[in-house]
Amino acid sequence: MMEPGAPVCNTCGEAVGLKPNGELFVACHDCNFPMCRSCVEYEAKEGRKVCLRCSSPYDEHLLDDDADQKPPGSSQPTMAAHLSDPQPKDVGIHARHVSTVSTIDSEMNDESGNPIWKNRVESWKDKKNNKKKKVAKNNKTEQAPAEIPHEQQMEDKQPGDALMQQPLSEIVPMSRNKLTPYRAVIIMRLVILGLFFHYRIMNPVDSAFGLWLTSVICEIWFAFSWVLDQFPKWSPINRVTYLDTLSARFERPGEPCELAPVDFFVSTVDPLKEPPLITANTVLSILALDYPVEKVSCYVSDDGAAMLSFESLAETSEFARKWVPFCKKYAIEPRAPEFYFSQKIDYLKDKVQPSFVKERRAMKRDYEEYKIRVNAMVARAQKTPEEGWTMQDGTPWPGNNTRDHPGMVQVFLGNTGARDMDGNELPRLIYVSREKRPGYQHHKKAGAENALVRVSAVLTNAPYILNLDCDHYVNNSKAVREAMCFLMDPQVGRDVCYVQFPQRFDGIDKSDRYANRNIVFFDVNMKGLDGIQGPVYVGTGCVFNRQALYGYGPPSMPTLTKTSSSSSCSWCGCCSCCCPSKKKAELDASELYKDAKREELNAARSFEKTFGLSSVFIESTLMENGGVPESVNSSTLIKEAIHVISCSYEEKTEWGKEIGWIYGSVTEDILTGFKMHCRGWRSIYCMPPRPAFKGSAPINLSDRLHQVLRWALGSVEIFLSRHCPLWYGFGGGRLRWLQRLAYINTIVYPFTSLPLIAYCLIPAICLLTGKFIIPTLSNLASVLFLGLFMSIILTAVLELRWSGVSIEDLWRNEQFWVIGGVSAHLFAVFQGFLKMLAGIDTNFTVTTKAAEDAEFGELYMVKWTTVLIPPTTLLIVNIVGVVAGFSDALNKGYEAWGPLFGKVFFAFWVILHLYPFLKGLMGRQNRTPTIVVLWSVLLASVFSLVWVKINPFVNKVDSMEIAGTCISIDC
C-alpha cells in the first residue's frame, strides 16, 4: 500500500518514488512539480524535456542512473481511496445556491491529486470485467437446466420467474387484409408511373415545347419525391405496452422501487415571448407525474438568463407543494393546472371522495392567486430598470447582460429540501443558465440541451433523459411508464436509443385550416418508420438513453474499429501480440508496466478530447444505470456543475460533433437522431391511447409559414453539410436503406418548391396563351391517365384504412403541402444557400396588421411578410387565367370548350389547394386587409394592360382587315 504521506505523481497518480540513494525523486528542482521517473522517461521519449508546470528544462543527467522501477504489482489508489471522508449525499446538491462565478479552472487532478483519467480507465476496466463475469454467469445458467430433470426444474421454479418472462410490450403488426392490397397498389402505381413517363417523353408537344419540357421535369421530380415518401411506409406497425407488468416487476411490495430514474429537460429563452405561466404548467405537470418522486429530476434551462424566469420558477416551486399532493390524491388528468381547470368536461366523473369538490375549489382559488403573482412579475418585467435587475437581497442579478453573464445553478426542490403540504418528498427542481461570453458560439437550443446533459450527469445522472419544449406539458401522468416498458425491457431496450411520442396540440381550430396537427406525419409516416429502424427525433416528447447521447453504439453490436496504424501488424493489428520481435512473453515486468502506463495516458487524453475536462462528468459516463459515483465529494458538485456549463468547456471536444445534440443546423433534432441510427441504434414509437404530451402550435397563417420555413431551412443546412444522408453513414453499414430513404426525404423536400411553383404557373400560362402541355389524347393515353388517377386515389384510401386517419386530415395535409411548398420552402432553399455558401443570414420580419380577441382570434390575424408573395401571385394569376380562358372559349365557339376543360381542371387544382391560404388572407368575412386590396389592384392593373394587348375578343384576321380598311380611307 502507498504510504499516506508519500508524494503522488501529478500525471499517473502513482507514488513519485525514491532514487537509488534513497532520496526522493525530483524531476524539476525549480518548482518541485511532483512527477515519477516513468512519466519523465515517457515525456523525454516524446521529445518533451521541460517541466509541465514551469517549463524549465530538465537536468540532462536526471535519467542517467539506472534506478529500480516501481514493481507492476504496486497498488493503484482510486478516487474513492482519497475521498475516504464520507459526507451526506445531498449536501451541496439541494442547498439553495446562485453562483456568480462564471468559470472554474479545470484541473487535471481532483483535490487529492488523483488523475481523472486514471480513475476513468480503471472504472472502464472494472466495467469490462464485470460484463465478462455476467456473460459467463449467464452462460452457466443457460447450460444448467440441461443437467437437471424436468420435474425438479418445475418444483424449483420461483413465482417471480414467470413474471420476468412476461413481455413489457408487444408489436402488433398490421392486418394482412389491409397491408397486402396497400402494397399491391403501390407496386401498381409504380408500374403505371413508368408507362406514363414513357408516353409523356415519347409524345412531345412541339407547339409548346418549353411548357411540355418544364412539366415533364416537374412530374419526374414529383415521382421521385413520392418514392422517397412512400416506401418507408412499407411495413407500418403498432405497439402495445403492459403497465401492470412493469409495476409488478419493478415495484414489488416491501422492496425498494427498481424503476429507472429520469432527468427531465425543459428549455426556454425569452419569457416575454414564451410566457412564464406556460413554462410553469409544464414544470408542474412533470413534478406531479405518476412516478416515484426520488426518480424524477426536472432541469429548467433559461438560455436568456432572465430574472423573470428565475422568480417565476421560485414561485412555481412554492405552488408545487400544494398542487402535487392534490394531483396524486385524486388522480386527476392532465396535471397542468391551466389546462385541467379549463377543461369543458364533467370533472366529477369517477370521483367518489366527498372532499374532492371542496379541495378542488380551494386549489383553483390557490392557482388563480398564483397566476396573479406571476402576471404581476411579467408586468414588472416589461420595462428593464436602467441600473439592471436586483435580487431580493440587494445584489445585482448576474444575467443583466444576456450576452455576457456567468453560469448559474439553483436547486429549488430536492430530497432534503422543501416537502409538500402532506410532508412527502418532492422531485428535484433545478434552474440552470449556462455561461454566455462574447466571442463564443453557443449553438442555441442544441447548446443549451448539451449543457443540461452535463449538469444533470454531475448532479443526478439518471440513465434516461426526457426533453420537452417549454410549451409541451405532460398530458398523461403515466407517459414515463409507457417509455420504460421499452427501455427497461431486457429484450427490447438494449438497442433502443430513444422512445419518441407523437406531438398533439391544444387550441387549434376544428377544421385545422393549416394542418397544424400534422396528423399524416405522426399517424402514418412515423408508424411506417417504426417498422424499419424507428421514428425520427422530432425535438420534443422524447425519452433518451443517456449512453446513446454519449456517442456509444448499442451493446449488441461490435464497436466500429478504426484503421490500424502503419506500425501495427498486418495480421492482427498489434505488434506486441504476434510479431516475434515483440512478444509479450519476452518483455520483462518493467516494460509491461510502462506499456500499460502509456495505454492509460493515451486513453485519458482521448476521454478528455471527447467529454471535456471534468473528472466528475467523465466518471459519470461509465455508470450505465445512472447515479452519482460514490467516490465523488458531494459538497463540490454545484461547483462542478457550474464548471461544465462554462462557455469554454466544449472547446476542442466532441460535443455537438459526435456526442450530445449535434450542431450544424437549426433542426438539430433530425441530425441527432440520424447520428444515432447510423451507429446502429433503433428507436421506438409509442402512441398511448391518452396522448402523452400536448403543446401549442401557431394557428396564424404567417406564424405557421415561418415555423415551416425554419424546419425547411434546417433541412437545407443538413443537405449542404457533411452529415447529408446521401453520403454520410455508409461506413458501418448500420443504417437500413429504407431508413436512409426516409432521412433523404427529410432533407430534399424543400427543393420540391422549385418544380411545384413552375407546375402551378403552367395552367395559367396555358389559359393565357391558348397552348397546352399534353397533345391530343389517344385511347391508350386516356387509359394511362385514368389509371394514374385511380392509383393515386386507391393509395390514399388504403392508407387511410390502415392508419385510421380521416380524409379531411389527408386533404388538409395535401393543401398545406402546396401552400408551404410555394412559400416557406422556396424561401428556405434560397436562404439556405445564401447562409451555407455565402455566409449571408436573411431574416424575414412579420408585422401584425389586425387582431381579434375572440376564440381563435389569432387565426384571423394577418401578418404581412414576404413569404406570402409567391402564393398570392399564383392565386391571382390562376384566377385571371380561368377568366381569360372562359372568355376566349366564348369567343371561339363550341370547338374551344374541349381543350379548355383540361386547362381549367389544372387551374382549379391549384386554386383549391391554395384555398386555405386565400381564407387566411381575407381574415374574417368583410375584413379584407388593405395590403391584399393593394396587391389585387396592382396585379389587376398589370393584367388589364396585358388583356388590352392580347385583345382576345377580336379575331386577328378581322383586326388586320379593319386596319387595312382604315388605312385606305382617304381623309
Side-chain angles (χ1 to χ4, degrees):
M1 294 293 293
M2 186 174 59
E3 298 179 3
V8 179
C9 175
N10 220 21
T11 302
C12 68
E14 295 294 335
V16 171
L18 305 176
K19 294 182 179 179
N21 58 7
E23 296 180 357
L24 183 68
F25 179 81
V26 179
C28 178
H29 293 279
D30 293 336
C31 65
N32 294 325
F33 183 66
M35 197 168 181
C36 68
R37 185 185 184 88
S38 299
C39 292
V40 173
E41 288 180 347
Y42 178 78
E43 294 290 327
K45 288 181 180 179
E46 295 292 324
R48 297 184 289 270
K49 298 182 179 181
V50 296
C51 177
L52 296 179
R53 174 183 289 177
C54 65
S55 300
S56 300
Y58 291 136
D59 187 0
E60 296 179 359
H61 306 288
L62 179 65
L63 303 174
D64 289 348
D65 53 336
D66 294 325
D68 295 335
Q69 298 295 327
K70 184 181 172 83
S74 301
S75 62
Q76 300 181 8
T78 62
M79 186 180 291
H82 294 287
L83 297 176
S84 58
D85 184 17
Q87 296 188 12
K89 192 170 185 179
D90 294 320
V91 174
I93 304 179
H94 308 292
R96 293 205 172 193
H97 180 82
V98 179
S99 174
T100 57
V101 180
S102 59
T103 58
I104 301 173
D105 293 335
S106 298
E107 301 177 358
M108 302 297 292
N109 298 51
D110 62 19
E111 296 176 357
S112 302
N114 197 37
I116 59 174
W117 60 76
K118 181 174 179 56
N119 191 44
R120 178 65 171 82
V121 174
E122 290 176 354
S123 302
W124 176 78
K125 290 179 178 178
D126 294 340
K127 173 181 169 185
K128 195 171 183 180
N129 293 334
N130 292 334
K131 283 187 176 180
K132 291 181 179 178
K133 292 178 181 178
K134 289 180 180 179
V135 172
K137 186 177 180 180
N138 291 336
N139 292 337
K140 290 181 180 179
T141 55
E142 290 175 0
Q143 296 174 359
E147 303 173 358
I148 302 175
H150 180 71
E151 293 79 3
Q152 187 176 349
Q153 291 183 35
M154 296 299 293
E155 292 176 0
D156 295 342
K157 186 173 289 188
Q158 300 294 329
D161 295 340
L163 181 64
M164 294 300 293
Q165 293 176 359
Q166 293 180 11
L168 298 179
S169 64
E170 284 184 347
I171 295 176
V172 182
M174 295 292 175
S175 172
R176 289 189 176 183
N177 296 332
K178 297 180 180 179
L179 210 54
T180 302
Y182 177 66
R183 291 173 175 174
V185 170
I186 292 175
I187 299 299
M188 181 184 70
R189 182 173 173 181
L190 200 61
V191 172
I192 294 175
L193 274 175
L195 298 174
F196 171 78
F197 284 123
H198 179 268
Y199 168 79
R200 291 283 282 133
I201 294 172
M202 299 304 296
N203 294 272
V205 181
D206 296 330
S207 61
F209 187 81
L211 292 175
W212 169 83
L213 182 61
T214 302
S215 65
V216 170
I217 293 174
C218 294
E219 289 162 0
I220 292 174
W221 178 265
F222 296 152
F224 171 69
S225 300
W226 172 76
V227 169
L228 292 180
D229 180 70
Q230 188 67 63
F231 278 91
K233 297 182 285 189
W234 185 260
S235 302
I237 61 172
N238 289 315
R239 295 181 185 271
V240 61
T241 57
Y242 302 109
L243 299 183
D244 294 338
T245 305
L246 177 77
S247 180
R249 183 180 297 183
F250 298 105
E251 294 181 294
R252 297 179 180 178
E255 298 181 10
C257 178
E258 296 180 357
L259 289 174
V262 181
D263 288 338
F264 288 78
F265 294 173
V266 179
S267 301
T268 183
V269 180
D270 187 352
L272 298 181
K273 294 181 179 179
E274 299 166 336
L277 203 58
I278 298 298
T279 304
N281 272 269
T282 300
V283 171
L284 289 169
S285 67
I286 294 172
L287 298 179
L289 274 173
D290 182 9
Y291 207 71
V293 293
E294 69 275 8
K295 307 286 186 178
V296 176
S297 300
C298 180
Y299 293 83
V300 179
S301 171
D302 177 18
D303 220 30
M307 187 172 173
L308 174 58
S309 298
F310 179 84
E311 289 185 335
S312 64
L313 199 62
E315 195 69 40
T316 302
S317 67
E318 295 298 323
F319 178 72
R321 300 180 186 178
K322 302 177 182 178
W323 176 250
V324 171
F326 172 75
C327 293
K328 295 188 175 181
K329 181 178 180 180
Y330 297 107
I332 66 168
E333 296 284 0
R335 300 190 176 181
E338 182 69 24
F339 302 96
Y340 170 69
F341 290 121
S342 62
Q343 289 183 116
K344 297 180 180 179
I345 61 173
D346 181 13
Y347 62 85
L348 297 178
K349 185 179 180 180
D350 300 329
K351 298 295 185 291
V352 296
Q353 293 143 303
S355 60
F356 172 70
V357 175
K358 182 179 179 180
E359 291 193 26
R360 185 184 185 277
R361 290 173 181 170
M363 183 55 61
K364 186 175 183 180
R365 183 179 63 252
D366 290 338
Y367 176 65
E368 291 173 348
E369 293 174 355
Y370 159 75
K371 285 178 63 176
I372 293 296
R373 293 193 295 270
V374 174
N375 290 336
M377 295 177 186
V378 176
R380 289 196 302 268
Q382 297 298 319
K383 186 177 181 181
T384 305
E386 295 181 0
E387 65 278 6
W389 299 105
T390 57
M391 302 177 67
Q392 292 182 357
D393 58 359
T395 58
W397 171 247
N400 277 325
N401 188 342
T402 58
R403 298 184 178 180
D404 187 3
H405 65 83
M408 293 176 282
V409 176
Q410 166 76 53
V411 181
F412 285 106
L413 299 175
N415 288 345
T416 59
R419 295 175 176 262
D420 63 26
M421 301 299 292
D422 296 338
N424 300 318
E425 293 180 2
L426 287 169
R428 295 179 180 90
L429 177 60
I430 299 128
Y431 169 90
V432 178
S433 181
R434 57 180 175 145
E435 182 188 19
K436 295 284 187 71
R437 298 298 180 194
Y440 287 92
Q441 179 61 260
H442 301 294
H443 303 289
K444 298 181 180 178
K445 179 183 177 181
E449 296 288 347
N450 284 336
L452 289 181
V453 171
R454 297 190 294 271
V455 169
S456 62
V458 170
L459 297 181
T460 52
N461 196 33
Y464 302 110
I465 294 171
L466 194 157
N467 83 294
L468 290 172
D469 289 342
C470 65
D471 59 346
H472 277 68
Y473 65 91
V474 181
N475 183 65
N476 184 348
S477 62
K478 298 183 183 295
V480 178
R481 293 178 181 267
E482 297 276 356
M484 291 302 117
C485 287
F486 303 106
L487 294 170
M488 296 190 69
D489 191 324
Q491 303 299 325
V492 178
R494 286 174 53 83
D495 296 338
V496 175
C497 54
Y498 60 81
V499 175
Q500 178 66 62
F501 291 89
Q503 291 186 19
R504 302 298 188 223
F505 301 98
D506 286 320
I508 297 177
D509 56 302
K510 294 181 180 179
S511 63
D512 193 13
R513 180 186 294 179
Y514 307 123
N516 284 279
R517 293 189 177 94
N518 280 330
I519 294 294
V520 174
F521 174 74
F522 286 112
D523 288 20
V524 180
N525 295 68
M526 296 287 265
K527 285 184 179 179
L529 290 177
D530 200 19
I532 308 172
Q533 201 172 342
V536 298
Y537 168 45
V538 297
T540 184
C542 185
V543 186
F544 283 98
N545 184 335
R546 188 183 283 269
Q547 294 295 312
L549 283 171
Y550 289 156
Y552 297 124
S556 62
M557 289 191 176
T559 305
L560 291 175
T561 57
K562 295 183 180 179
T563 306
S564 302
S565 61
S566 57
S567 61
S568 300
C569 175
S570 61
W571 176 257
C572 66
C574 179
C575 295
S576 61
C577 65
C578 62
C579 297
S581 60
K582 289 190 178 181
K583 288 184 179 180
K584 285 194 176 183
E586 299 177 2
L587 298 176
D588 58 18
S590 62
E591 289 179 347
L592 282 173
Y593 178 65
K594 284 188 283 187
D595 288 343
K597 280 295 187 67
R598 293 190 190 102
E599 289 179 5
E600 290 183 0
L601 289 173
N602 291 333
R605 294 186 179 101
S606 67
F607 288 132
E608 287 179 349
K609 291 179 180 178
T610 302
F611 296 111
L613 297 172
S614 171
S615 60
V616 178
F617 176 74
I618 290 178
E619 190 169 358
S620 71
T621 61
L622 278 179
M623 308 186 69
E624 291 185 6
N625 297 323
V628 179
E630 295 180 359
S631 57
V632 172
N633 188 346
S634 58
S635 63
T636 62
L637 287 183
I638 290 292
K639 180 181 178 182
E640 192 70 22
I642 296 173
H643 165 58
V644 297
I645 60 174
S646 61
C647 54
S648 61
Y649 184 85
E650 293 184 356
E651 288 187 335
K652 299 180 181 179
T653 67
E654 294 298 322
W655 284 102
K657 302 172 186 175
E658 297 296 333
I659 62 175
W661 271 256
I662 306 302
Y663 304 150
S665 170
V666 294
T667 53
E668 68 289 330
D669 44 6
I670 296 177
L671 268 181
T672 303
F674 175 61
K675 294 277 284 188
M676 292 180 183
H677 284 135
C678 286
R679 296 189 188 105
W681 293 94
R682 72 153 294 125
S683 53
I684 298 289
Y685 195 51
C686 182
M687 295 183 64
R690 180 180 177 86
F693 310 99
K694 280 191 175 183
S696 58
I699 62 174
N700 174 263
L701 174 61
S702 301
D703 293 340
R704 171 70 167 140
L705 288 178
H706 275 264
Q707 181 189 53
V708 174
L709 169 61
R710 179 182 173 276
W711 295 342
L713 176 59
S715 296
V716 176
E717 290 174 343
I718 297 174
F719 178 82
L720 299 174
S721 71
R722 72 181 186 92
H723 291 114
C724 179
L726 289 170
W727 51 74
Y728 183 85
F730 283 97
R734 296 180 174 182
L735 188 68
R736 300 181 185 180
W737 69 274
L738 281 179
Q739 191 79 13
R740 186 177 294 278
L741 279 184
Y743 274 111
I744 292 174
N745 187 41
T746 62
I747 64 159
V748 302
Y749 77 88
F751 297 97
T752 306
S753 60
L754 300 174
L756 187 59
I757 278 204
Y759 209 70
C760 289
L761 279 173
I762 288 177
I765 296 174
C766 290
L767 287 167
L768 292 173
T769 60
K771 299 177 180 179
F772 200 38
I773 58 175
I774 299 175
T776 303
L777 293 179
S778 62
N779 292 335
L780 177 62
S782 300
V783 171
L784 279 177
F785 275 90
L786 182 62
L788 181 61
F789 285 122
M790 289 300 297
S791 66
I792 293 174
I793 294 172
L794 281 175
T795 305
V797 170
L798 293 174
E799 202 167 85
L800 296 178
R801 188 175 172 223
W802 65 255
S803 66
V805 175
S806 67
I807 190 170
E808 182 181 7
D809 290 324
L810 185 67
W811 173 237
R812 289 299 185 207
N813 182 77
E814 183 76 13
Q815 285 181 310
F816 197 78
W817 175 74
V818 175
I819 295 172
V822 299
S823 56
H825 297 173
L826 178 68
F827 279 81
V829 170
F830 288 105
Q831 187 178 359
F833 275 97
L834 288 174
K835 183 178 180 181
M836 300 299 290
L837 302 181
I840 302 174
D841 194 0
T842 307
N843 293 318
F844 302 100
T845 58
V846 180
T847 305
T848 302
K849 298 299 180 183
E852 292 286 344
D853 296 328
E855 185 180 8
F856 303 122
E858 187 182 353
L859 178 68
Y860 306 104
M861 292 167 53
V862 178
K863 304 177 182 180
W864 182 252
T865 170
T866 49
V867 179
L868 302 180
I869 294 177
T872 304
T873 304
L874 285 175
L875 263 174
I876 295 179
V877 167
N878 276 277
I879 292 174
V880 168
V882 170
V883 174
F886 276 105
S887 301
D888 189 52
L890 289 172
N891 183 54
K892 290 183 177 180
Y894 177 77
E895 66 278 0
W897 287 93
L900 177 66
F901 174 77
K903 303 174 188 177
V904 172
F905 174 81
F906 283 111
F908 271 111
W909 179 89
V910 176
I911 295 171
L912 285 175
H913 278 78
L914 294 176
Y915 179 68
F917 176 84
L918 179 61
K919 290 184 67 176
L921 285 184
M922 302 303 292
R924 285 192 183 274
Q925 295 179 355
N926 303 324
R927 291 290 302 275
T928 306
T930 306
I931 191 68
V932 176
V933 176
L934 293 176
W935 268 98
S936 302
V937 171
L938 176 63
L939 291 175
S941 302
V942 172
F943 171 73
S944 299
L945 295 175
V946 175
W947 188 266
V948 171
K949 180 66 177 177
I950 296 175
N951 199 11
F953 291 105
V954 180
N955 189 286
K956 293 184 179 180
V957 178
D958 296 340
S959 62
M960 292 298 295
E961 292 177 355
I962 294 173
T965 304
C966 293
I967 294 173
S968 63
I969 296 177
D970 188 4
C971 297

